[in-house]
Amino acid sequence: MSPGEDGLIGIPFPEHSNELLSHLNDQRRAGLLCDLTLTSRGARYPTHRSVMAAVSLYFRQLFGAEEGGGEGGGGFSVCQLDCVAPDALDALLEFAYTATLTIPSSGMRDVLRGAQLLGIQCVADACRDILGETAEAEGETAEQQRAQHTAAERIAQEESRIMRGSRRKTDRKRVKKLGPHHIDSSALNPSPASPISHPSPLSDSFRSLPSTQPPSPEPDEFRHKSGQNGDPRAIREPGRGTTPNGGLFHWPPERPRIALPPPVPPLNDKLSEEDDMEGFGDDGILMGSTSIPTSVADRGAVASAAGGGRKRKSQTPQQCPVCQKIIHGAGKLPRHMRTHTGEKPFQCSACGVRFTRNDKLKIHMRKHTGERPYPCPHCTARFLHSYDLKNHLSLHSGARPFECPLCHKAFAREDHLQRHRKGHSCLELRTRRPRRGPEPGEDGRGDGGMREHSNHLEALALQAHSSAFLPHQVLDGGSGSVPPLMFSGDVERERSLALQALAQLGPHRLAGYPELFLRGLELRGSREADGEDPGGTHSPASQQDRWPDEMEEEAGEEEAEEEE
DNA sequence: CTGGGGAGGGGGCCC
DNA sequence: AGGGCCCCCTCCCCA
C-alpha cells in the first residue's frame, strides 16, 4: 500500500467490529443501555434496538417504520415474542451479539422458525442447511421466500403503525404482542417451518445444486447463494449436523451469503439497487455494520479518485475481508484469497506439486525442463528467477549495498541484511546503546550518524527504529510475547471471516473455496492442537499461518525487546 | 554465520 | 473485470 496518493493513510482495525460486538454483548448481559426487552413465554431478554434492527429484518422494518413516523427512537421497550421459543430466542440473541449460533440440535427447528419470523435470513438458511432442507426441498420457491420477506416487512410496518397509534394515545410504554398468528398463519408462508417439510437427504439436496453459477441479477439468486457462498456444507459435511460438543451447533456468521458491494466500489460503480435491500434485507445491514472497516477501502477509493485518472483505470484496490489487507489490481483478490483458503489449483504434471498460482507453476516447471531463463552475463550461472540473477550480479560487482546501520556489516542481499538484523549478530552492539527512545542518527556511534547510504537503507533503519514504538506495545504493556492483533490462530473467527470473503468474490468464483479453506483450517487447527509451533516449522503452509502484519509486529516486538 | 537457491505473495502492465 | 505474465520482496532451507 502506498502512502496514498493524496496523503491519506488508512489504518485498519480488524478487531474493532469484534470488540464492538463483544462490548455490546457485555452491555446486554449487564442490562446496560438496553432499550428493548424481548419476552418469550415469561422469559425476558434485555437487548438493544439498534442491534436487533441490524440483525433482523422484522425489527428493522418495525423500528424503521416507527421512526419514519417521526417518533425517533422512542419505540417499544418491550416486545413479546411468544411465537419464538425462549431457547430459540436466546440463541438468536446470542447470534446477534456474537455472530455465532449456538443451539442444541434438538432446537434447530425452533431456531429456524424464529429466524424466519424475525427475518434473520442467514440463520434461517443455516438451520435449513443443517436440517437438510432447502427452500426448494420445502416447496418454497424463491418467489415465495421473497413474498415472505415482503410479508415480514409489511407485518412489521403494520405492527409499528398500530403500536405507534396506540402509543400516541396512551403515551406509555407499550407491550407489543406479536402473536404467532400474526406472522405464521396470516402473512408468511408457513411452509419453511412446517414440521411436514420434506426431509431430503442433506448431501444430495445440496450436491444437486450447481456448484457454480454465473452471478445473477435476480434477487432470487440470493436464495441459492446461501448454499454456495458461506457454504455451510463445508462445515457441516463432516459432522452432518452433529458436533462433538454435546450436540450443540456453533454456527459461524453466515454473512457471506449476502451479495455485497465490492469493498471498494469503483467510483463510477453504482451499487445496484437490488443488491442493496431487496431480497437481502437483514443481512445487508448486518454486513454493513460489522464486516469490513470502510475507512481504508473508502480512502482507497478516494485516493484513486484523487489520482484523477493518473493511475490506470482498473487498479481498484480491494480489501481482503479476512486479513484486511488492501489488494491492488483488478482480479487480484481471488488470487490473494487462495492464500487463505489454501487452494492450489495449479498442479505440476511432472511431480504433482501444487501451486496457488499458475505463474508459480510455470516457474516451477523450469526445474523439470531445465530452463533457466536468466543467465549471468559474467559467468555460466543461470537462474530460475530474475531476482536470483539480480542477487547474483551483485556478487560480480562486489556491491554490498545493504549495510547494517548498527554494526555496518554489508550484505549483498537485502533479505540477508534483514536476517542479520533479526538475528543476534549485532545484538550486542545494539544493547550497548543508551536506553533512550531511538532517534534518527542516534545509532551512528563515532561516525556522526548514519553513513551515506541509499535511501532504501535509511528507510530500513528508520523502519527498524520506529517499529519499537508500535502502538500495541504500549497498549499491551510492552509484553514481548503479546499475540499479534490479527487472527492469532483463531480458527473459528478466521473461518467466519473467510466465509465472508468468499461471498464477496461472487458466487461464480466460489467453487471449491469453502471446502479447501476449511480443510486448510482443519489442518491448521490440528497443527495448533498438536502444539506445533506455527513459526517453528517453515513449511509453506506454516508460513501462511503468519500474516504479514503479524510478522511485522513480531519484528517490531523483537526490536522493542532488543531496545530493552 | 553466510551465501545461494527455491518458493510464496503482492503489484504493475498488458491483453 | 479478470487473468497472464513479469518483477520485486521476503522468507525458508540447505550447504
Side-chain angles (χ1 to χ4, degrees), chain A residues 87-405:
Chain A
D87 288 345
L89 184 57
D90 190 37
L92 290 171
L93 280 171
E94 280 292 324
F95 162 78
Y97 282 86
T98 64
T100 299
L101 189 60
T102 304
I103 49 179
S105 51
S106 59
M108 191 70 61
R109 195 164 293 279
D110 284 341
V111 173
L112 168 60
R113 184 181 182 85
Q116 288 175 322
L117 294 177
L118 297 181
I120 308 176
Q121 189 60 45
C122 54
V123 172
D125 287 342
C127 292
R128 262 195 295 265
D129 293 347
I130 293 173
L131 292 170
E133 300 167 355
T134 64
E136 289 76 9
E138 294 172 283
E140 180 182 14
T141 66
E143 194 64 32
Q144 287 173 308
Q145 293 199 3
R146 197 165 43 199
Q148 176 178 332
H149 264 279
T150 306
E153 294 178 13
R154 233 184 276 123
I155 288 172
Q157 289 168 350
E158 185 64 15
E159 292 279 352
S160 178
R161 187 181 60 76
I162 294 171
M163 297 312 291
R164 198 164 54 239
S166 62
R167 186 170 61 248
R168 286 194 187 101
K169 292 180 180 176
T170 60
D171 192 25
R172 59 180 174 87
K173 287 190 174 182
R174 304 303 307 176
V175 175
K176 187 171 80 67
K177 283 275 186 182
L178 227 185
H181 300 299
H182 273 95
I183 298 178
D184 281 351
S185 52
S186 62
L188 293 185
N189 183 345
S191 61
S194 165
I196 59 171
S197 57
H198 318 302
S200 62
L202 174 69
S203 55
D204 291 343
S205 65
F206 272 109
R207 283 171 188 147
S208 65
L209 291 174
S211 60
T212 55
Q213 288 179 352
S216 165
E218 300 175 2
D220 297 358
E221 181 69 13
F222 164 66
R223 198 69 47 196
H224 294 280
K225 269 184 284 192
S226 68
Q228 298 171 7
N229 286 14
D231 205 344
R233 281 174 291 170
I235 304 172
R236 186 184 60 255
E237 284 277 4
R240 282 297 166 85
T242 59
T243 61
N245 55 349
L248 290 180
F249 286 87
H250 292 273
W251 201 263
E254 273 290 329
R255 292 173 291 186
R257 71 183 63 250
I258 292 81
L260 291 173
V264 185
L267 279 184
N268 294 335
D269 268 9
K270 285 181 291 190
L271 299 181
S272 80
E273 293 297 321
E274 63 201 13
D275 283 353
D276 192 5
M277 275 299 291
E278 185 181 1
F280 298 90
D282 45 7
D283 301 314
I285 287 191
L286 183 59
M287 275 304 287
S289 62
T290 61
S291 65
I292 305 169
T294 56
S295 59
V296 175
D298 291 345
R299 288 173 190 171
V302 170
S304 299
R310 197 164 42 83
K311 284 274 186 179
R312 285 171 47 251
K313 74 272 180 188
S314 83
Q315 281 298 356
T316 317
Q318 293 177 292
Q319 186 173 28
C320 170
V322 176
C323 67
Q324 315 298 324
K325 185 178 180 68
I326 302 296
I327 304 299
H328 297 267
K332 294 296 193 297
L333 185 56
R335 185 180 77 175
H336 168 80
M337 288 310 299
R338 285 200 287 268
T339 68
H340 298 309
T341 65
E343 182 190 15
K344 295 186 175 182
F346 305 98
Q347 184 172 24
C348 173
S349 56
C351 66
V353 177
R354 304 186 73 96
F355 296 89
T356 59
R357 290 161 50 168
N358 60 345
D359 54 340
K360 300 306 177 187
L361 171 60
K362 184 182 175 182
I363 292 176
H364 165 82
M365 289 305 292
R366 293 172 184 166
K367 290 206 301 185
H368 298 298
T369 63
E371 180 191 6
R372 288 175 170 265
Y374 302 98
C376 174
H378 306 297
C379 68
T380 59
R382 304 177 69 91
F383 299 92
L384 288 173
H385 305 92
S386 60
Y387 202 69
D388 291 333
L389 173 60
K390 179 186 167 187
N391 289 330
H392 172 80
L393 288 175
S394 64
L395 295 179
H396 287 294
S397 66
R400 302 175 85 87
F402 304 101
E403 182 176 322
C404 175

Side-chain angles (χ1 to χ4, degrees), chain A residues 486-504:
Chain A
M486 295 172 58
F487 312 122
S488 52
D490 190 334
V491 174
E492 276 304 312
R493 188 167 31 144
E494 185 181 346
R495 184 202 306 263
S496 67
L497 288 168
L499 288 172
Q500 295 175 28
L502 298 174
Q504 296 194 11

Side-chain angles (χ1 to χ4, degrees), chain A residues 392-438:
Chain A
H392 172 80
L393 288 175
S394 64
L395 295 179
H396 287 294
S397 66
R400 302 175 85 87
F402 304 101
E403 182 176 322
C404 175
L406 301 173
C407 69
H408 303 300
K409 182 174 177 57
F411 297 86
R413 277 170 49 169
E414 183 178 359
D415 56 334
H416 286 170
L417 169 61
Q418 293 184 6
R419 180 176 63 183
H420 163 80
R421 299 200 67 236
K422 283 187 176 181
H424 303 289
S425 304
C426 58
L427 182 58
E428 293 178 0
L429 283 176
R430 275 185 282 180
T431 52
R432 283 193 215 118
R433 287 190 300 161
R435 183 185 164 82
R436 273 176 45 206

